[in-house]
Amino acid sequence: MIKKLERRTVVIVGGGLTAGLMARQLTAQAIDVLVLERGGDHTHGAAARLPSQRDELRWGVRQGLMQKWNVQTYSLRHSRSDASLPVRWMEAFLPGEGMGGAASHWNGHTWRWAGYDPTLRTRYAQRYGSKAIASTMPLQDWGVTYEEMEPYHDLFEKLFGLSGTAGNVNGETRPGGNPFEAPRRGEYPQKALEITEAGLIFKQAAEKMGYHPFPIPAANSSGVYTNPDGQKLGQCQYCGHCERFICEAQAKASADVLLYPMLRQRKGFELRLHSHVLGVNYERQAQRVTGVRYVDGRSGKEYEQPADVVVLGAFTMTNNKLLMLDEIGAAYDPLTGKGVVGRNFCYQTNSGVGIFMKDRWINPFLASGSTGMVIDEFNNDNFDHTGLGFLGGGMISASVFNGRPITARRLPPGTARWGTRWKQANADWYAHSFGLSIQGSCYPDTGNFLDLDPVYKDAYGQPLVRMTFDWRDNEMKMSAYVTKKMDEIAKSIGADIVSPAIPRKSPFDTRIYQSTHVTGGTPMGTDPATSVVTPHLQHWDAQNLFVVGASVFQHNSGYNPTGPLAALALRLGDDLVRYVQRPRML
């Protein structure tokens, strides 16, 4: 028996970053908000206190803060002609579970995307002609501009106390920052993180080649900081336990540190933990939703939660799944190119190279999640693509995030895989090596999409989300080009050993971690034939249903998605205030 609960004004699915930012805007205007989160609260447990916080096996290897793959996973096939199989243990990307979502265990890289990213199709068509965009690449503009988003970027950076060096303030280029960044209204709230030895080595080599290296913009707090809401961050200790870990010093800006403690004190806000949402109640004729259904993970009982407004603010895969299960919007059909839900699914196209220098002390254990230097010369459309045969690009960086003993073992090519020589190589190179890496764009392809698996189900008896995804021709050509540029920098450093720089090639392998930056499936836009939600993130087929998160991106850039994701969430919070006051198509 399903128990029906009392109506709530705005119900948000997913207790991560986007939900916290929206709830901040809504509750400030005395609008009731209920957040349903499938996980618990980690902030007072073993994950957030010493010495257990440093347990690499528990949190890093066994993914203690991540989605439980034996409860809910995804299936994968590389093309429509392949049979799909469930991913039994995912390493490629790592959704979070618990209050704060994936942002509780993130590294902290926080970018504003290029000013032209929201209008990327127009950018490429105007610069290279529409024929430069392949017929299999359904790039679309987002229906919003960077200029509209800039105030929300600025607000988010102040709320999260970002550390960095501005490269463009009101159109004026600043030394030490990114010369390609879109104009911003002021400096970062905090100074940049310390530059590591690897960063200094990379900076010197890149500058000799005429490039402009700058520090990664970071949500790792370079000092003690109090945000506009009175919430506080401690100073980063460079302990090397950011990604896959909660920060016990509260020096990593995240929703569980800066948003939910404050929200829980506000009247009209409720965070309901251990609440796994199963579906959205949809009245097709009326084109409206009436609430959601969820299971209480502690009692096993199923509840129906009525709502005036429902917002899907979960991870990319979950936002897609909930729309597919209740058939809200037409599913994407790769044969005809019609349909919207599941289209434009993207990842990122990364590669790397190892640097070994016996006379330089890298000391990788002295690191944060964002200690790195980067160049942007070969990212997105920051360089001329004429005649190259591909679009997109990637940032090239020298980043040292950790020196943890189980997984942080960079060894020269040809090293024995076990025994005395393997042990000696670890001793020789642990403190004397680092990597250069590329985080590359991934543009949509008609052959990459999401749907529901017709065979495999999760622990709740629901179909798995099926990924049909592989590295397509555009991304492999881009990776080959940018990886060559990275290799040129690596060889100019003067290292004792430089490992081979291998570009990304098919097939996509879920056993290799890249980033948790999967996007698309519920893209935003001005045309309901090619988008799931409007530029205000309102579902075309249900006026009181909204979707927010990386799932609304039309493509994936060479940057981390958190910046525009957060800006869109804050903007949606303001839009929802207007909608609740007068329901309509915004």
Side-chain angles (χ1 to χ4, degrees):
M1 179 179 178
I2 300 176
K3 183 177 180 181
K4 191 168 184 176
L5 304 171
E6 66 178 65
R7 178 172 294 277
R8 296 300 294 260
T9 302
V10 178
V11 172
I12 304 175
V13 178
L17 175 65
T18 55
L21 292 169
M22 285 184 289
R24 176 189 183 272
Q25 306 299 91
L26 287 161
T27 54
Q29 300 301 318
I31 294 172
D32 288 349
V33 174
L34 168 63
V35 174
L36 297 173
E37 165 56 42
R38 66 185 177 182
D41 181 352
H42 300 291
T43 57
H44 301 292
R49 62 172 181 251
L50 295 175
S52 49
Q53 189 271 349
R54 299 284 196 270
D55 189 339
E56 182 187 4
L57 183 63
R58 183 175 182 180
W59 312 116
V61 177
R62 294 177 177 165
Q63 301 182 5
L65 298 173
M66 319 305 177
Q67 179 171 305
K68 306 301 182 284
W69 302 115
N70 61 340
V71 175
Q72 188 176 51
T73 186
Y74 317 116
S75 64
L76 171 69
R77 59 180 183 172
H78 293 116
S79 71
R80 289 188 297 109
S81 61
D82 296 338
S84 61
L85 289 171
V87 179
R88 299 297 183 182
W89 184 264
M90 174 71 77
E91 280 291 338
F93 54 89
L94 302 173
E97 187 161 305
M99 185 183 75
S104 67
H105 62 74
W106 69 323
N107 260 337
H109 305 186
T110 314
W111 298 85
R112 299 187 185 195
W113 284 17
Y116 52 76
D117 258 314
T119 55
L120 192 63
R121 184 177 185 89
T122 296
R123 162 83 174 204
Y124 281 135
Q126 290 178 345
R127 188 172 184 185
Y128 306 111
S130 58
K131 290 183 179 179
I133 305 172
S135 59
T136 56
M137 185 188 293
L139 276 178
Q140 298 292 331
D141 292 349
W142 295 21
V144 66
T145 65
Y146 169 78
E147 288 72 23
E148 292 174 79
M149 299 304 301
E150 199 281 333
Y152 293 102
H153 279 292
D154 183 71
L155 173 58
F156 174 64
E157 291 172 0
K158 288 182 171 64
L159 290 174
F160 270 45
L162 295 195
S163 305
T165 301
N168 184 337
V169 176
N170 296 321
E172 177 188 347
T173 302
R174 297 285 187 89
N178 182 4
F180 297 95
E181 75 174 353
R184 49 192 302 121
R185 62 185 61 193
E187 259 293 354
Y188 282 90
Q190 299 195 76
K191 67 177 184 178
L193 294 168
E194 297 293 333
I195 303 176
T196 64
E197 185 74 359
L200 293 172
I201 293 169
F202 175 78
K203 181 177 184 290
Q204 183 180 36
E207 287 178 340
K208 283 184 177 179
M209 299 180 73
Y211 303 136
H212 302 84
F214 59 94
I216 293 174
N220 315 95
S221 185
S222 62
V224 177
Y225 181 78
T226 302
N227 80 0
D229 292 335
Q231 304 302 295
K232 299 182 183 298
L233 289 171
Q235 185 172 9
C236 178
Q237 301 172 3
Y238 301 92
C239 72
H241 288 74
C242 275
E243 81 283 8
R244 308 191 184 212
F245 297 82
I246 288 175
C247 178
E248 94 287 344
Q250 295 194 331
K252 182 170 62 173
S254 54
D256 49 307
V257 173
L258 297 172
L259 293 171
Y260 287 109
M262 173 192 67
L263 289 169
R264 284 173 139 175
Q265 302 301 312
R266 286 187 174 181
K267 184 179 179 180
F269 176 82
E270 181 183 356
L271 173 63
R272 200 171 291 167
L273 300 171
H274 305 289
S275 301
H276 183 97
V277 175
L278 298 173
V280 180
N281 296 336
Y282 179 47
E283 293 182 350
R284 193 172 306 279
Q285 290 296 110
Q287 289 201 318
R288 63 188 294 271
V289 297
T290 60
V292 300
R293 308 177 303 281
Y294 74 91
V295 170
D296 185 316
R298 292 160 296 191
S299 69
K301 293 181 180 179
E302 187 173 340
Y303 295 89
E304 183 177 314
Q305 176 60 61
D308 295 306
V309 178
V310 173
V311 183
L312 303 184
F315 188 63
T316 292
M317 313 300 271
T318 301
N319 283 352
N320 277 272
K321 182 173 186 173
L322 292 173
L323 293 180
M324 293 173 186
L325 285 171
D326 290 289
E327 298 180 348
I328 309 175
Y332 171 71
D333 183 346
L335 291 176
T336 64
K338 296 181 179 179
V340 288
V341 184
R343 67 179 281 141
N344 285 32
F345 177 64
C346 300
Y347 191 23
Q348 284 188 311
T349 316
N350 299 357
S351 59
V353 61
I355 306 293
F356 300 85
M357 306 181 74
K358 62 184 179 182
D359 294 327
R360 299 293 290 266
W361 287 87
I362 306 304
N363 293 339
F365 48 86
L366 297 172
S368 80
S370 303
T371 37
M373 294 291 288
V374 61
I375 63 168
D376 222 19
E377 271 80 357
F378 300 103
N379 208 351
N380 295 304
D381 195 37
N382 292 344
F383 59 102
D384 189 354
H385 288 75
T386 302
L388 296 180
F390 68 86
L391 298 175
M395 67 173 86
I396 303 174
S397 67
S399 301
V400 175
F401 304 144
N402 77 89
R404 298 190 296 268
I406 298 176
T407 55
R409 296 181 179 275
R410 182 174 284 106
L411 298 173
T415 300
R417 301 186 66 178
W418 63 282
T420 301
R421 286 184 294 168
W422 176 82
K423 292 179 181 178
Q424 186 60 53
N426 274 277
D428 290 343
W429 296 111
Y430 172 77
H432 300 279
S433 63
F434 64 97
L436 304 188
S437 62
I438 292 169
Q439 182 168 279
S441 61
C442 181
Y443 291 164
D445 186 278
T446 53
N448 291 336
F449 61 97
L450 300 175
D451 64 358
L452 295 179
D453 196 291
V455 177
Y456 298 103
K457 300 182 185 301
D458 63 21
Y460 298 94
Q462 295 186 317
L464 302 184
V465 173
R466 178 172 62 179
M467 300 179 284
T468 303
F469 180 83
D470 205 356
W471 311 115
R472 308 302 178 184
D473 186 62
N474 182 80
E475 274 54 58
M476 288 190 286
K477 287 182 177 178
M478 180 278 291
S479 183
Y481 180 87
V482 182
T483 301
K484 184 178 179 181
K485 299 297 182 182
M486 175 180 65
D487 192 41
E488 291 171 358
I489 298 172
K491 290 177 177 175
S492 75
I493 287 174
D496 296 287
I497 302 171
V498 176
S499 66
I502 301 173
R504 184 63 65 202
K505 297 179 181 178
S506 175
F508 168 56
D509 190 340
T510 60
R511 299 169 299 175
I512 300 171
Y513 180 75
Q514 281 208 154
S515 71
T516 305
H517 309 154
V518 289
T519 65
T522 70
M524 62 188 291
T526 57
D527 185 354
T530 57
S531 58
V532 171
V533 294
T534 73
H536 291 281
L537 308 185
Q538 190 170 22
H539 201 290
W540 288 108
D541 296 335
Q543 179 182 294
N544 63 334
L545 175 64
F546 296 78
V547 184
V548 65
S551 67
V552 306
F553 294 7
Q554 284 276 5
H555 68 279
N556 207 350
S557 188
Y559 303 110
N560 302 52
T562 312
L565 178 153
L568 286 170
L570 285 166
R571 178 173 176 261
L572 177 56
D574 286 350
D575 283 340
L576 287 171
V577 171
R578 295 190 295 116
Y579 179 83
V580 169
Q581 292 169 346
R582 186 166 72 88
R584 66 202 186 279
M585 288 301 292
L586 296 173

